[in-house]
Amino acid sequence: MIISTMTNDEIYKEMREDFWELRNIMLNIADKCIRDNKILQDRFHFIPPTGSKKSYTTKKNKNNWTIEWHIISYNVDHHLSIIFISYTTYVDRAGKSHYAVLAHPEKFAPMIVSSHFLKRYRERYIEPHHIKLGGESLLAYFIMHNKLGGMVSYFPKNWTEKDKENKRVHYCEHGLFVLLWMRDDFPLLITFLDESCLTEYKAQVYKAESFTMLFHKYLDITLRRKKEYDIIQRHAILQKLVSFPNAKELMVDFFKREKEMYPDDKEMLDVVSEKAMKYWDSLVTYSEEFERETKDLESRQRLQQCYADMLFFGEIKEKQITTQERKELLNILTNPEKQKFIPYDHEHLSAALAQIKKMLGNK
């Protein structure tokens, strides 16, 4: 049984053990729903949303779970759509009441939802929107109507530095909520934020999320699918990134969120973020130099992307640049008067220069 003295790892372990008992029950319920509402002659009929609850006490751990399920209707593939949620309550060491939640019948995806979260969700969303729950639990309504989204670039004004270290703000269809990761795959939903926080967030969201989307695309085409995109496309994205106000701060926040959301990619993200931080100022200054010194737009874009590739990879990946463009790049890189925006200690500079000279046939 889940008790107040348990650690996060112990709660996680117990929920995982209970999941394997609950899983078969939920799948059997789903099979019965499908049989009772089977499609006749490839035709389907509308089923009003219906729901039921069932109590079950696990044999090993003696936790009393409520299994709640709701038949939504048929989806576009003529398959019956059923939403499941299983939950049990417990009290933590501070005397606060929480719900241990399993929201998927086939995949172990545990979470903890605090009673404080549900109270604020009712006050700040359900009641202002005059939503009638009927026989549906408040917890089930939130899970059914909200796909939990990623971390956002926002902190409430009254948060302390300690709050910022331990808590994160995430988004969902109904607004913003505060989340704490008890471990990598085990979130605790602490509270649902009010309308004033949502208003403040909306004032910041366009800039931060736009930057995030662009950076995602740049990493994708640079590290994974670079052969599918030409150098002009990559440069166009880079140019937009460096033009963002407070771009460097947004980049720091971007990598912080990415490492929390994708822990399996942490090693790769650490390498990329370290290089991005080290050479960002140089890329920005280089962009400004080329804006002044190169009038031909396409040539400027191609040369600037070559420089970015040199910083991150130590080589020029674009093989289609012209001889004249290579000469121009060599001239800028080797001209002392134009090197004020080039990092002298760059580890790849010598190799890149050698590559350009080899392209030009210079020994």
Side-chain angles (χ1 to χ4, degrees), residues 116 118-128 138:
H116 177 78
L118 294 178
K119 180 181 178 181
R120 291 291 181 255
Y121 180 58
R122 181 184 294 278
E123 294 172 350
R124 295 169 176 174
Y125 186 83
I126 298 297
E127 293 175 354
L138 182 60

Side-chain angles (χ1 to χ4, degrees), residues 9 15 32 37 57 75 92 103 138 142 156 161 173 178 190 194 227 275 277 279 288 305 319 335 340 353:
D9 287 339
M15 290 179 68
K32 185 177 186 304
N37 299 278
T57 301
N75 62 22
D92 68 8
L138 182 60
F142 176 79
E161 289 303 317
E173 280 83 347
V178 179
I190 299 174
D194 57 21
K227 292 183 179 179
K275 289 188 175 183
M277 289 298 296
Y279 305 123
E288 295 171 352
Q305 187 60 57
K319 305 302 182 184
N335 190 329
K340 57 181 177 294
L353 285 171

